[in-house]
Amino acid sequence: MDTKQIRIADYHYDLPDERIAKFPLAERDASKLLIYRHGTVTEDRFSALPDYLPAGALMVFNNTRVIQARLHFRKPSGALIEVFCMEPFSPLEYQQNFAQRQQVEWLCMIGNLKRWKEGVLTRQVEIRNTADANAPVRIVTLCVERLPHTENSTGTNHRVRFSWDADDLSFADILDAMGELPIPPYLNRETQESDKQTYQTVYSKIKGSVAAPTAGLHFTDRVLHALDAAGIDREELTLHVGAGTFKPVKSDTIADHEMHSEYIVVRRQTIEKLIRHGGEAIAVGTTSVRTLESLYYIGTKLATNPDATEDELAVRQWDWMTPKGNDIDTTAALQHILDYLDRHGLDALHTATQIMIAPGYEYKIVKRIVTNFHQPQSTLLLLVSAFVHGDWRTIYDYALTHDFRFLSYGDSSLLIP
């Protein structure tokens, strides 16, 4: 199969608007679970997930947390400008950036860009001390300024400087006070207060995403405890989901589609645990899939270039299509990452992945996937098709004819090829 010549039109299906879940269920784990096992489809409730997993398996979750990345400003003329934080620019590392005081820079998408050619926009907000109801309300002013283009701020992303007049507040505090949670555009509604909770996984920890890893939205503490009781080992990694996850494939063939790059962090203990499990895992969500599979190609790079830089370790879109003669054992690839961390005195691997998984791809680490139902003609549907050896229509036809809810707040599936 010539993967790059795949026609995205072959991955279309009719998705009526009424099948898109606009809101989540009141009970997360009451959602429906489609089980695709060796070509056969059945269904259950999500709360029964542990019953379908082998004891002793390793399940990997993405612990990223969605930030209130959308900010609105009004020009003196009355024009409304939206500034959507995409990724840090200075400081470059997410947690350092969020902890910064007084000033940071981000790459942002800007709504109504033609009305904001230059100049500084300001916005004031009341900050209340939630720990002390009697403390006076503070007025904080946030300023935003468009900066000159850099090689990283072309196209839809623009370099923006944020500054504020409260020395004791971090940028994370500013976003919490002034930002809006960016729910997916296909929900066709405004963000509501309830989304601040329902559009986060119960295990989210590390701030940085502009979209939720939605397969994780079904998990509750009750299900996590049931997994533990069933002997399922659990581990976490971090991939900060970018808005590129909603980017449609507009080219006729996927060869001409540029996959978005996303920042990943994988702790040493996660890699050690993967090795103990024979380099195999159950992935919760496509973000976990892309991170886990990227580890293999990072390991193969280190096998031939032990002194690779963080940038050289970043996985490019088609790295997996390199000649098959370069293949090494999965656990050996993971061991190369551990050796790299040892040489550099690091507790975690920090890099990025642009990997595009599509039919023709051979999975290295992921043996089962928990995932939601994805948009027609999307790269996520290509990933699923690659995992089930092209049998994606069996899954989606069943879901469409059995009242499953689709997309971020919809139901989910367990895929066992």
Side-chain angles (χ1 to χ4, degrees):
M1 171 185 290
D2 187 349
T3 297
K4 291 186 179 182
Q5 297 309 310
I6 287 174
R7 296 174 63 253
I8 195 63
D10 293 338
Y11 291 82
H12 178 78
Y13 68 93
D14 290 327
L15 178 59
D17 184 67
E18 61 269 20
R19 303 306 298 275
I20 299 173
K22 299 297 193 292
F23 293 92
L25 298 179
E27 294 289 332
R28 293 174 184 247
D29 58 13
S31 56
K32 296 175 73 170
L33 177 69
L34 181 150
I35 303 98
Y36 174 88
R37 183 166 36 191
H38 318 315
T40 301
V41 178
T42 56
E43 65 177 88
D44 207 328
R45 292 292 172 190
F46 190 84
S47 55
L49 175 66
D51 299 339
Y52 296 94
L53 304 178
L58 174 64
M59 189 170 230
V60 179
F61 299 77
N62 182 5
N63 63 13
T64 189
R65 187 167 181 81
V66 185
I67 61 173
Q68 295 182 190
R70 183 176 281 131
L71 297 141
H72 294 98
F73 297 83
R74 197 169 289 280
K75 293 186 64 180
S77 65
L80 185 65
I81 307 297
E82 180 179 283
V83 180
F84 192 164
C85 296
M86 297 298 296
E87 58 182 287
F89 187 85
S90 177
L92 197 58
E93 201 277 322
Y94 277 83
Q95 299 314 306
Q96 289 180 11
N97 192 293
F98 288 129
Q100 199 78 3
R101 299 176 190 275
Q102 294 186 303
Q103 181 176 294
V104 295
E105 293 179 16
W106 277 65
L107 297 179
C108 301
M109 289 198 300
I110 299 174
N112 207 6
L113 177 65
K114 65 180 181 297
R115 302 295 296 275
W116 186 28
K117 299 295 184 184
E118 58 184 16
V120 176
L121 303 179
T122 62
R123 177 180 161 191
Q124 291 185 325
V125 69
E126 294 181 350
I127 304 288
R128 289 177 167 78
N129 187 339
T130 55
D132 182 2
N134 296 318
V137 175
R138 301 168 60 192
I139 304 297
V140 175
T141 301
L142 174 65
C143 301
V144 290
E145 179 185 3
R146 279 185 62 191
L147 299 176
H149 274 287
T150 69
E151 61 179 289
N152 295 321
S153 59
T154 56
T156 58
N157 284 348
H158 301 266
R159 187 175 160 206
V160 172
R161 177 181 294 139
F162 296 88
S163 58
W164 55 99
D165 59 357
D167 295 350
D168 59 325
L169 296 181
S170 68
F171 188 56
D173 295 328
I174 294 297
L175 287 181
D176 286 343
M178 300 189 182
E180 178 183 293
L181 198 77
I183 59 173
Y186 50 64
L187 294 183
N188 290 319
R189 64 173 176 82
E190 296 295 321
T191 300
Q192 300 195 7
E193 188 66 24
S194 60
D195 291 309
K196 291 182 180 180
Q197 279 195 316
T198 58
Y199 198 58
Q200 303 280 11
T201 64
V202 297
Y203 49 80
S204 64
K205 298 179 179 69
I206 312 300
K207 291 183 177 182
S209 281
V210 300
T214 55
L217 296 179
H218 305 274
F219 286 85
T220 59
D221 289 334
R222 175 172 51 197
V223 172
L224 295 175
H225 292 325
L227 288 170
D228 294 340
I232 306 299
D233 204 356
R234 292 193 279 129
E235 193 53 61
E236 296 177 356
L237 45 73
T238 306
L239 179 146
H240 289 317
V241 188
T245 191
F246 302 117
K247 181 181 178 182
V249 180
K250 294 183 177 179
S251 55
D252 291 336
T253 63
I254 64 173
D256 297 320
H257 178 75
E258 183 179 359
M259 191 70 176
H260 56 288
S261 182
E262 292 168 313
Y263 181 78
I264 62 174
V265 181
V266 184
R267 296 177 299 169
R268 178 190 178 88
Q269 71 178 53
T270 304
I271 297 167
E272 290 174 335
K273 193 170 284 190
L274 279 167
I275 291 174
R276 290 201 297 273
H277 283 268
E280 297 185 354
I282 302 166
V284 176
T286 57
T287 59
S288 295
V289 170
R290 294 179 68 237
T291 306
L292 288 168
E293 292 298 306
S294 295
L295 291 178
Y296 176 81
Y297 297 98
I298 292 169
T300 59
K301 290 184 181 192
L302 287 168
T304 56
N305 183 12
D307 298 318
T309 64
E310 183 178 300
D311 184 62
E312 288 171 334
L313 291 181
V315 179
R316 312 303 175 192
Q317 181 164 337
W318 303 113
D319 277 357
W320 61 270
M321 297 187 75
T322 53
K324 298 298 181 183
N326 293 342
D327 281 2
I328 60 174
D329 177 76
T330 302
T331 53
L334 293 169
Q335 185 62 50
H336 281 300
I337 298 176
L338 281 187
D339 295 342
Y340 169 84
L341 297 178
D342 285 343
R343 288 194 300 275
H344 294 274
L346 299 173
D347 291 327
L349 173 71
H350 295 253
T351 186
T353 183
Q354 192 191 14
I355 193 170
M356 185 172 186
I357 298 176
Y361 180 86
E362 295 179 8
Y363 279 80
K364 302 294 186 180
I365 293 175
V366 177
K367 303 303 176 184
R368 288 173 172 80
I369 298 176
V370 177
T371 188
N372 282 17
F373 298 97
H374 307 293
Q375 290 178 290
Q377 299 185 197
S378 64
T379 58
L380 302 181
L381 191 54
L382 292 171
L383 180 152
V384 168
S385 180
F387 193 68
V388 298
H389 309 296
D391 198 22
W392 69 273
R393 285 195 184 275
T394 297
I395 298 164
Y396 278 67
D397 285 348
Y398 184 96
L400 287 165
T401 55
H402 288 76
D403 202 31
F404 276 72
R405 301 157 71 248
F406 278 62
L407 307 186
S408 293
Y409 275 142
D411 297 312
S412 65
S413 60
L414 169 64
L415 308 179
I416 308 171

